Short mmCIF file of all heavy atoms in Angstrom, two decimals:
data_model
loop_
_atom_site.label_atom_id
_atom_site.label_comp_id
_atom_site.label_asym_id
_atom_site.label_seq_id
_atom_site.Cartn_x
_atom_site.Cartn_y
_atom_site.Cartn_z
N MET A 46 -0.27 -19.35 20.24
CA MET A 46 0.10 -18.40 19.19
C MET A 46 1.51 -18.71 18.69
O MET A 46 2.42 -18.92 19.48
CB MET A 46 0.04 -16.98 19.77
CG MET A 46 0.05 -15.91 18.68
SD MET A 46 -0.29 -14.29 19.40
CE MET A 46 1.28 -13.49 19.12
N ILE A 47 1.62 -18.75 17.40
CA ILE A 47 2.94 -19.02 16.82
C ILE A 47 3.53 -17.70 16.34
O ILE A 47 2.91 -16.98 15.56
CB ILE A 47 2.82 -20.02 15.65
CG1 ILE A 47 2.25 -21.35 16.18
CG2 ILE A 47 4.18 -20.23 14.99
CD1 ILE A 47 1.76 -22.27 15.09
N PHE A 48 4.68 -17.42 16.80
CA PHE A 48 5.35 -16.20 16.36
C PHE A 48 6.75 -16.54 15.93
O PHE A 48 7.54 -17.08 16.70
CB PHE A 48 5.37 -15.16 17.49
CG PHE A 48 6.03 -13.87 17.08
CD1 PHE A 48 5.38 -12.97 16.27
CD2 PHE A 48 7.31 -13.57 17.53
CE1 PHE A 48 5.99 -11.78 15.89
CE2 PHE A 48 7.93 -12.39 17.16
CZ PHE A 48 7.27 -11.49 16.34
N SER A 49 7.02 -16.28 14.69
CA SER A 49 8.34 -16.59 14.17
C SER A 49 9.17 -15.32 14.04
O SER A 49 8.73 -14.34 13.45
CB SER A 49 8.21 -17.26 12.80
OG SER A 49 9.48 -17.35 12.21
N LYS A 50 10.34 -15.36 14.57
CA LYS A 50 11.23 -14.21 14.44
C LYS A 50 11.98 -14.23 13.11
O LYS A 50 12.70 -13.30 12.79
CB LYS A 50 12.24 -14.20 15.60
CG LYS A 50 11.60 -13.78 16.91
CD LYS A 50 12.61 -13.79 18.03
CE LYS A 50 11.94 -13.38 19.34
NZ LYS A 50 12.81 -13.61 20.49
N GLU A 51 11.77 -15.29 12.36
CA GLU A 51 12.49 -15.42 11.09
C GLU A 51 11.81 -14.66 9.96
O GLU A 51 12.38 -14.48 8.91
CB GLU A 51 12.61 -16.89 10.70
CG GLU A 51 13.32 -17.75 11.73
CD GLU A 51 14.73 -17.27 12.03
OE1 GLU A 51 15.48 -17.04 11.07
OE2 GLU A 51 15.07 -17.12 13.21
N GLU A 52 10.57 -14.28 10.18
CA GLU A 52 9.84 -13.63 9.10
C GLU A 52 9.39 -12.23 9.50
O GLU A 52 8.93 -12.01 10.60
CB GLU A 52 8.60 -14.45 8.74
CG GLU A 52 8.92 -15.76 8.08
CD GLU A 52 7.66 -16.50 7.67
OE1 GLU A 52 6.56 -16.03 7.98
OE2 GLU A 52 7.80 -17.56 7.05
N ILE A 53 9.53 -11.35 8.58
CA ILE A 53 9.01 -9.99 8.78
C ILE A 53 8.01 -9.75 7.66
O ILE A 53 8.34 -9.90 6.48
CB ILE A 53 10.14 -8.95 8.70
CG1 ILE A 53 11.22 -9.24 9.74
CG2 ILE A 53 9.58 -7.54 8.86
CD1 ILE A 53 12.51 -8.45 9.50
N ILE A 54 6.82 -9.43 8.03
CA ILE A 54 5.83 -9.16 7.00
C ILE A 54 5.61 -7.66 6.89
O ILE A 54 5.32 -6.98 7.85
CB ILE A 54 4.50 -9.90 7.29
CG1 ILE A 54 4.77 -11.41 7.27
CG2 ILE A 54 3.44 -9.51 6.27
CD1 ILE A 54 3.63 -12.24 7.78
N LEU A 55 5.81 -7.18 5.67
CA LEU A 55 5.61 -5.76 5.39
C LEU A 55 4.38 -5.64 4.51
O LEU A 55 4.27 -6.34 3.51
CB LEU A 55 6.82 -5.18 4.66
CG LEU A 55 8.14 -5.22 5.41
CD1 LEU A 55 9.27 -4.87 4.46
CD2 LEU A 55 8.12 -4.26 6.58
N ALA A 56 3.49 -4.78 4.88
CA ALA A 56 2.29 -4.57 4.06
C ALA A 56 2.39 -3.23 3.35
O ALA A 56 2.83 -2.24 3.92
CB ALA A 56 1.05 -4.63 4.94
N TYR A 57 1.98 -3.26 2.09
CA TYR A 57 2.01 -2.05 1.28
C TYR A 57 0.65 -1.77 0.68
O TYR A 57 -0.14 -2.68 0.46
CB TYR A 57 3.00 -2.21 0.11
CG TYR A 57 4.42 -2.34 0.53
CD1 TYR A 57 5.04 -3.58 0.53
CD2 TYR A 57 5.14 -1.22 0.91
CE1 TYR A 57 6.37 -3.71 0.91
CE2 TYR A 57 6.46 -1.34 1.30
CZ TYR A 57 7.08 -2.58 1.29
OH TYR A 57 8.38 -2.70 1.67
N ALA A 58 0.41 -0.54 0.42
CA ALA A 58 -0.77 -0.15 -0.34
C ALA A 58 -0.28 0.61 -1.56
O ALA A 58 0.65 1.41 -1.47
CB ALA A 58 -1.68 0.74 0.51
N VAL A 59 -0.88 0.31 -2.71
CA VAL A 59 -0.54 1.04 -3.92
C VAL A 59 -1.71 1.95 -4.24
O VAL A 59 -2.84 1.49 -4.44
CB VAL A 59 -0.24 0.09 -5.10
CG1 VAL A 59 0.04 0.89 -6.37
CG2 VAL A 59 0.95 -0.79 -4.78
N GLU A 60 -1.42 3.22 -4.28
CA GLU A 60 -2.45 4.21 -4.59
C GLU A 60 -2.33 4.59 -6.06
O GLU A 60 -1.22 4.76 -6.57
CB GLU A 60 -2.24 5.48 -3.77
CG GLU A 60 -2.23 5.28 -2.29
CD GLU A 60 -1.78 6.53 -1.56
OE1 GLU A 60 -0.86 7.22 -2.03
OE2 GLU A 60 -2.34 6.82 -0.51
N LYS A 61 -3.46 4.76 -6.71
CA LYS A 61 -3.44 5.20 -8.10
C LYS A 61 -4.35 6.41 -8.26
O LYS A 61 -5.47 6.43 -7.76
CB LYS A 61 -3.92 4.07 -9.01
CG LYS A 61 -3.74 4.42 -10.48
CD LYS A 61 -4.24 3.30 -11.36
CE LYS A 61 -4.00 3.65 -12.82
NZ LYS A 61 -4.52 2.62 -13.71
N CYS A 62 -3.84 7.38 -8.96
CA CYS A 62 -4.64 8.56 -9.24
C CYS A 62 -5.41 8.33 -10.54
O CYS A 62 -4.79 8.06 -11.57
CB CYS A 62 -3.74 9.78 -9.36
SG CYS A 62 -4.63 11.26 -9.83
N PRO A 63 -6.73 8.39 -10.52
CA PRO A 63 -7.50 8.15 -11.75
C PRO A 63 -7.35 9.28 -12.77
O PRO A 63 -7.65 9.12 -13.93
CB PRO A 63 -8.94 8.04 -11.25
CG PRO A 63 -8.96 8.72 -9.94
CD PRO A 63 -7.58 8.65 -9.36
N LYS A 64 -6.87 10.40 -12.31
CA LYS A 64 -6.78 11.57 -13.18
C LYS A 64 -5.48 11.57 -14.01
O LYS A 64 -5.52 11.72 -15.22
CB LYS A 64 -6.84 12.83 -12.31
CG LYS A 64 -7.52 13.99 -12.99
CD LYS A 64 -7.82 15.06 -11.96
CE LYS A 64 -8.30 16.34 -12.63
NZ LYS A 64 -8.57 17.38 -11.65
N CYS A 65 -4.36 11.39 -13.33
CA CYS A 65 -3.09 11.42 -14.07
C CYS A 65 -2.44 10.04 -14.14
O CYS A 65 -1.38 9.88 -14.74
CB CYS A 65 -2.14 12.44 -13.44
SG CYS A 65 -1.61 12.03 -11.77
N GLU A 66 -3.09 9.04 -13.51
CA GLU A 66 -2.64 7.64 -13.55
C GLU A 66 -1.27 7.39 -12.94
O GLU A 66 -0.60 6.42 -13.27
CB GLU A 66 -2.71 7.10 -14.98
CG GLU A 66 -4.13 7.19 -15.54
CD GLU A 66 -4.35 6.30 -16.74
OE1 GLU A 66 -3.39 6.14 -17.51
OE2 GLU A 66 -5.44 5.76 -16.89
N LYS A 67 -0.86 8.26 -12.03
CA LYS A 67 0.39 8.02 -11.31
C LYS A 67 0.14 7.00 -10.21
O LYS A 67 -0.91 6.98 -9.58
CB LYS A 67 0.88 9.32 -10.67
CG LYS A 67 1.26 10.37 -11.68
CD LYS A 67 2.70 10.24 -12.13
CE LYS A 67 3.09 11.43 -12.99
NZ LYS A 67 4.29 11.17 -13.78
N LEU A 68 1.14 6.16 -10.01
CA LEU A 68 1.07 5.17 -8.95
C LEU A 68 2.01 5.57 -7.82
O LEU A 68 3.08 6.11 -8.05
CB LEU A 68 1.49 3.80 -9.48
CG LEU A 68 0.54 3.13 -10.47
CD1 LEU A 68 1.24 1.94 -11.12
CD2 LEU A 68 -0.73 2.68 -9.79
N ASN A 69 1.59 5.30 -6.63
CA ASN A 69 2.42 5.60 -5.48
C ASN A 69 2.32 4.46 -4.48
O ASN A 69 1.24 4.11 -4.03
CB ASN A 69 1.94 6.92 -4.83
CG ASN A 69 2.70 7.23 -3.57
OD1 ASN A 69 3.92 7.14 -3.52
ND2 ASN A 69 1.98 7.59 -2.52
N ARG A 70 3.46 3.87 -4.17
CA ARG A 70 3.46 2.79 -3.20
C ARG A 70 3.83 3.37 -1.83
O ARG A 70 4.77 4.12 -1.71
CB ARG A 70 4.48 1.73 -3.59
CG ARG A 70 4.31 0.46 -2.78
CD ARG A 70 5.34 -0.56 -3.15
NE ARG A 70 6.58 -0.34 -2.43
CZ ARG A 70 7.53 -1.26 -2.26
NH1 ARG A 70 7.40 -2.44 -2.80
NH2 ARG A 70 8.61 -1.00 -1.58
N ARG A 71 3.08 3.00 -0.85
CA ARG A 71 3.39 3.47 0.50
C ARG A 71 3.10 2.35 1.48
O ARG A 71 2.50 1.34 1.13
CB ARG A 71 2.56 4.71 0.84
CG ARG A 71 1.07 4.49 0.80
CD ARG A 71 0.35 5.62 1.51
NE ARG A 71 -1.10 5.51 1.40
CZ ARG A 71 -1.86 4.68 2.12
NH1 ARG A 71 -1.29 3.85 2.96
NH2 ARG A 71 -3.16 4.66 1.96
N ASP A 72 3.52 2.57 2.70
CA ASP A 72 3.26 1.58 3.74
C ASP A 72 1.76 1.48 4.00
O ASP A 72 1.05 2.48 3.99
CB ASP A 72 3.97 1.96 5.04
CG ASP A 72 5.48 1.82 4.92
OD1 ASP A 72 5.96 1.16 3.98
OD2 ASP A 72 6.17 2.38 5.78
N PHE A 73 1.32 0.28 4.24
CA PHE A 73 -0.08 0.04 4.56
C PHE A 73 -0.41 0.67 5.91
O PHE A 73 0.36 0.58 6.85
CB PHE A 73 -0.33 -1.47 4.61
CG PHE A 73 -1.71 -1.85 5.04
CD1 PHE A 73 -2.77 -1.80 4.14
CD2 PHE A 73 -1.96 -2.28 6.33
CE1 PHE A 73 -4.05 -2.16 4.53
CE2 PHE A 73 -3.24 -2.64 6.73
CZ PHE A 73 -4.28 -2.58 5.83
N CYS A 74 -1.53 1.33 5.97
CA CYS A 74 -2.00 1.89 7.23
C CYS A 74 -3.24 1.14 7.67
O CYS A 74 -4.03 0.71 6.84
CB CYS A 74 -2.36 3.36 7.07
SG CYS A 74 -0.98 4.40 6.64
N LYS A 75 -3.39 1.01 8.95
CA LYS A 75 -4.57 0.35 9.50
C LYS A 75 -5.81 1.12 9.03
O LYS A 75 -5.86 2.34 9.14
CB LYS A 75 -4.48 0.34 11.02
CG LYS A 75 -5.23 -0.81 11.63
CD LYS A 75 -5.09 -0.78 13.14
CE LYS A 75 -6.04 -1.81 13.74
NZ LYS A 75 -6.11 -1.70 15.19
N GLY A 76 -6.77 0.40 8.52
CA GLY A 76 -7.98 1.06 8.05
C GLY A 76 -8.03 1.23 6.55
O GLY A 76 -9.06 1.63 6.00
N ASP A 77 -6.92 0.94 5.87
CA ASP A 77 -6.92 1.01 4.41
C ASP A 77 -7.82 -0.06 3.83
O ASP A 77 -7.74 -1.22 4.23
CB ASP A 77 -5.50 0.80 3.87
CG ASP A 77 -4.65 2.06 3.96
OD1 ASP A 77 -5.20 3.14 4.23
OD2 ASP A 77 -3.43 1.95 3.75
N VAL A 78 -8.66 0.31 2.91
CA VAL A 78 -9.58 -0.63 2.26
C VAL A 78 -9.40 -0.50 0.76
O VAL A 78 -9.29 0.61 0.22
CB VAL A 78 -11.05 -0.34 2.66
CG1 VAL A 78 -12.00 -1.29 1.94
CG2 VAL A 78 -11.23 -0.47 4.17
N LEU A 79 -9.37 -1.65 0.10
CA LEU A 79 -9.19 -1.68 -1.34
C LEU A 79 -10.26 -0.84 -2.05
O LEU A 79 -11.44 -0.93 -1.72
CB LEU A 79 -9.25 -3.13 -1.80
CG LEU A 79 -8.54 -3.51 -3.10
CD1 LEU A 79 -7.07 -3.16 -3.04
CD2 LEU A 79 -8.72 -4.99 -3.35
N PHE A 80 -9.83 -0.05 -3.01
CA PHE A 80 -10.68 0.80 -3.84
C PHE A 80 -11.32 1.97 -3.09
O PHE A 80 -12.18 2.66 -3.62
CB PHE A 80 -11.74 0.01 -4.61
CG PHE A 80 -11.15 -1.12 -5.43
CD1 PHE A 80 -11.59 -2.41 -5.29
CD2 PHE A 80 -10.12 -0.86 -6.33
CE1 PHE A 80 -11.04 -3.46 -6.03
CE2 PHE A 80 -9.56 -1.89 -7.08
CZ PHE A 80 -10.01 -3.19 -6.92
N ASN A 81 -10.91 2.15 -1.85
CA ASN A 81 -11.34 3.35 -1.14
C ASN A 81 -10.52 4.54 -1.63
O ASN A 81 -9.37 4.38 -2.01
CB ASN A 81 -11.08 3.19 0.36
CG ASN A 81 -12.34 2.92 1.14
OD1 ASN A 81 -13.37 2.55 0.60
ND2 ASN A 81 -12.24 3.09 2.43
N SER A 82 -11.11 5.70 -1.56
CA SER A 82 -10.31 6.87 -1.87
C SER A 82 -9.31 7.06 -0.75
O SER A 82 -9.60 6.81 0.42
CB SER A 82 -11.19 8.10 -2.07
OG SER A 82 -11.97 8.31 -0.93
N SER A 83 -8.13 7.47 -1.12
CA SER A 83 -7.06 7.54 -0.16
C SER A 83 -6.64 8.99 0.06
O SER A 83 -7.40 9.79 0.59
CB SER A 83 -5.91 6.67 -0.65
OG SER A 83 -4.90 6.61 0.31
N SER A 84 -5.45 9.32 -0.38
CA SER A 84 -4.95 10.66 -0.13
C SER A 84 -4.95 11.49 -1.41
O SER A 84 -5.23 11.00 -2.50
CB SER A 84 -3.54 10.58 0.45
OG SER A 84 -2.74 9.77 -0.37
N LYS A 85 -4.58 12.73 -1.26
CA LYS A 85 -4.53 13.64 -2.40
C LYS A 85 -3.32 13.31 -3.26
O LYS A 85 -2.24 13.01 -2.75
CB LYS A 85 -4.44 15.07 -1.87
CG LYS A 85 -4.87 16.12 -2.85
CD LYS A 85 -4.99 17.48 -2.16
CE LYS A 85 -5.43 18.54 -3.14
NZ LYS A 85 -4.38 18.85 -4.13
N CYS A 86 -3.51 13.34 -4.56
CA CYS A 86 -2.43 13.08 -5.49
C CYS A 86 -1.36 14.17 -5.36
O CYS A 86 -1.68 15.34 -5.23
CB CYS A 86 -2.98 13.05 -6.91
SG CYS A 86 -1.72 12.80 -8.15
N THR A 87 -0.11 13.75 -5.39
CA THR A 87 0.97 14.73 -5.27
C THR A 87 1.32 15.36 -6.62
O THR A 87 2.11 16.29 -6.67
CB THR A 87 2.23 14.06 -4.67
OG1 THR A 87 2.53 12.89 -5.41
CG2 THR A 87 2.02 13.71 -3.21
N PHE A 88 0.75 14.85 -7.70
CA PHE A 88 1.08 15.36 -9.03
C PHE A 88 -0.01 16.27 -9.61
O PHE A 88 0.26 17.13 -10.42
CB PHE A 88 1.34 14.20 -9.99
CG PHE A 88 2.49 13.33 -9.56
CD1 PHE A 88 2.26 12.17 -8.82
CD2 PHE A 88 3.79 13.68 -9.87
CE1 PHE A 88 3.31 11.38 -8.40
CE2 PHE A 88 4.85 12.89 -9.45
CZ PHE A 88 4.61 11.74 -8.72
N CYS A 89 -1.24 16.03 -9.22
CA CYS A 89 -2.34 16.86 -9.69
C CYS A 89 -3.31 17.07 -8.53
O CYS A 89 -3.00 16.75 -7.40
CB CYS A 89 -3.02 16.21 -10.90
SG CYS A 89 -4.00 14.77 -10.50
N ASP A 90 -4.50 17.57 -8.81
CA ASP A 90 -5.44 17.80 -7.70
C ASP A 90 -6.43 16.65 -7.53
O ASP A 90 -7.45 16.79 -6.89
CB ASP A 90 -6.16 19.14 -7.91
CG ASP A 90 -6.97 19.16 -9.21
OD1 ASP A 90 -6.83 18.21 -10.01
OD2 ASP A 90 -7.74 20.10 -9.42
N GLY A 91 -6.10 15.50 -8.10
CA GLY A 91 -6.97 14.34 -7.98
C GLY A 91 -6.84 13.66 -6.63
O GLY A 91 -5.96 13.96 -5.84
N ILE A 92 -7.77 12.75 -6.37
CA ILE A 92 -7.73 11.95 -5.15
C ILE A 92 -7.39 10.52 -5.53
O ILE A 92 -8.05 9.92 -6.37
CB ILE A 92 -9.10 11.98 -4.41
CG1 ILE A 92 -9.48 13.42 -4.01
CG2 ILE A 92 -9.08 11.07 -3.19
CD1 ILE A 92 -8.63 14.05 -2.93
N THR A 93 -6.35 10.00 -4.93
CA THR A 93 -5.91 8.65 -5.28
C THR A 93 -6.85 7.59 -4.69
O THR A 93 -7.52 7.82 -3.69
CB THR A 93 -4.48 8.40 -4.80
OG1 THR A 93 -4.44 8.55 -3.38
CG2 THR A 93 -3.49 9.35 -5.43
N ILE A 94 -6.86 6.46 -5.35
CA ILE A 94 -7.66 5.31 -4.91
C ILE A 94 -6.70 4.16 -4.62
O ILE A 94 -5.72 3.96 -5.36
CB ILE A 94 -8.68 4.95 -6.01
CG1 ILE A 94 -9.80 6.00 -6.03
CG2 ILE A 94 -9.27 3.55 -5.82
CD1 ILE A 94 -10.71 5.91 -7.23
N ILE A 95 -6.98 3.42 -3.58
CA ILE A 95 -6.11 2.28 -3.26
C ILE A 95 -6.40 1.16 -4.26
O ILE A 95 -7.50 0.61 -4.31
CB ILE A 95 -6.33 1.80 -1.81
CG1 ILE A 95 -5.95 2.93 -0.85
CG2 ILE A 95 -5.48 0.55 -1.53
CD1 ILE A 95 -6.26 2.64 0.60
N GLU A 96 -5.41 0.88 -5.08
CA GLU A 96 -5.61 -0.10 -6.14
C GLU A 96 -5.19 -1.49 -5.71
O GLU A 96 -5.72 -2.50 -6.19
CB GLU A 96 -4.83 0.32 -7.38
CG GLU A 96 -5.23 -0.51 -8.59
CD GLU A 96 -4.46 -0.10 -9.83
OE1 GLU A 96 -3.26 -0.35 -9.90
OE2 GLU A 96 -5.08 0.47 -10.71
N LYS A 97 -4.24 -1.54 -4.81
CA LYS A 97 -3.66 -2.84 -4.47
C LYS A 97 -3.16 -2.80 -3.03
O LYS A 97 -2.59 -1.79 -2.61
CB LYS A 97 -2.48 -3.07 -5.40
CG LYS A 97 -2.13 -4.49 -5.71
CD LYS A 97 -0.99 -4.39 -6.69
CE LYS A 97 -0.53 -5.67 -7.27
NZ LYS A 97 0.61 -5.45 -8.16
N ILE A 98 -3.39 -3.88 -2.32
CA ILE A 98 -2.81 -4.02 -0.99
C ILE A 98 -2.11 -5.38 -0.98
O ILE A 98 -2.69 -6.38 -1.38
CB ILE A 98 -3.88 -3.96 0.13
CG1 ILE A 98 -4.50 -2.55 0.20
CG2 ILE A 98 -3.27 -4.33 1.48
CD1 ILE A 98 -5.70 -2.44 1.12
N TYR A 99 -0.86 -5.37 -0.59
CA TYR A 99 -0.17 -6.64 -0.58
C TYR A 99 0.89 -6.66 0.52
O TYR A 99 1.28 -5.63 1.05
CB TYR A 99 0.45 -6.95 -1.93
CG TYR A 99 1.55 -6.00 -2.35
CD1 TYR A 99 2.90 -6.34 -2.20
CD2 TYR A 99 1.25 -4.77 -2.91
CE1 TYR A 99 3.89 -5.47 -2.58
CE2 TYR A 99 2.23 -3.90 -3.30
CZ TYR A 99 3.57 -4.25 -3.13
OH TYR A 99 4.56 -3.41 -3.51
N GLY A 100 1.31 -7.84 0.84
CA GLY A 100 2.32 -8.00 1.88
C GLY A 100 3.53 -8.72 1.32
O GLY A 100 3.43 -9.53 0.41
N GLU A 101 4.66 -8.37 1.85
CA GLU A 101 5.89 -9.04 1.48
C GLU A 101 6.47 -9.70 2.71
O GLU A 101 6.49 -9.11 3.77
CB GLU A 101 6.91 -8.03 0.95
CG GLU A 101 6.70 -7.68 -0.49
CD GLU A 101 7.70 -6.63 -0.98
OE1 GLU A 101 8.61 -6.29 -0.23
OE2 GLU A 101 7.51 -6.17 -2.10
N THR A 102 6.95 -10.89 2.54
CA THR A 102 7.59 -11.58 3.64
C THR A 102 9.09 -11.59 3.40
O THR A 102 9.55 -12.03 2.35
CB THR A 102 7.07 -13.02 3.76
OG1 THR A 102 5.65 -12.96 3.86
CG2 THR A 102 7.60 -13.70 5.00
N LEU A 103 9.79 -11.07 4.34
CA LEU A 103 11.25 -11.08 4.23
C LEU A 103 11.77 -12.18 5.12
O LEU A 103 11.42 -12.27 6.29
CB LEU A 103 11.83 -9.74 4.70
CG LEU A 103 11.39 -8.48 3.95
CD1 LEU A 103 12.06 -7.28 4.58
CD2 LEU A 103 11.74 -8.56 2.48
N GLN A 104 12.61 -13.01 4.58
CA GLN A 104 13.19 -14.08 5.39
C GLN A 104 14.67 -13.82 5.58
O GLN A 104 15.38 -13.50 4.63
CB GLN A 104 12.93 -15.42 4.73
CG GLN A 104 11.49 -15.84 4.93
CD GLN A 104 11.16 -17.15 4.26
OE1 GLN A 104 11.76 -17.52 3.27
NE2 GLN A 104 10.21 -17.87 4.83
N LYS A 105 15.07 -13.95 6.80
CA LYS A 105 16.46 -13.67 7.11
C LYS A 105 17.35 -14.85 6.69
O LYS A 105 16.94 -15.98 6.82
CB LYS A 105 16.62 -13.45 8.62
CG LYS A 105 16.11 -12.08 9.02
CD LYS A 105 16.27 -11.91 10.52
CE LYS A 105 15.60 -10.62 10.99
NZ LYS A 105 15.55 -10.57 12.46
ZN1 LIG B 8 -2.95 12.81 -10.15
#
């Protein structure tokens, strides 16, 4: 197994509310699946959908 201490990978999920079209970026949680319904929209009573999952690599 190769483990590098030089890289930190951060995963994010972007949630989008289909009702008011607000986007919310949050930390990726285990079990998140693309286009699954996620959490309740904080702006309206809609349910957000995970639109994007991506990771960022930070190099020291
Ligand atoms: Zn909304």
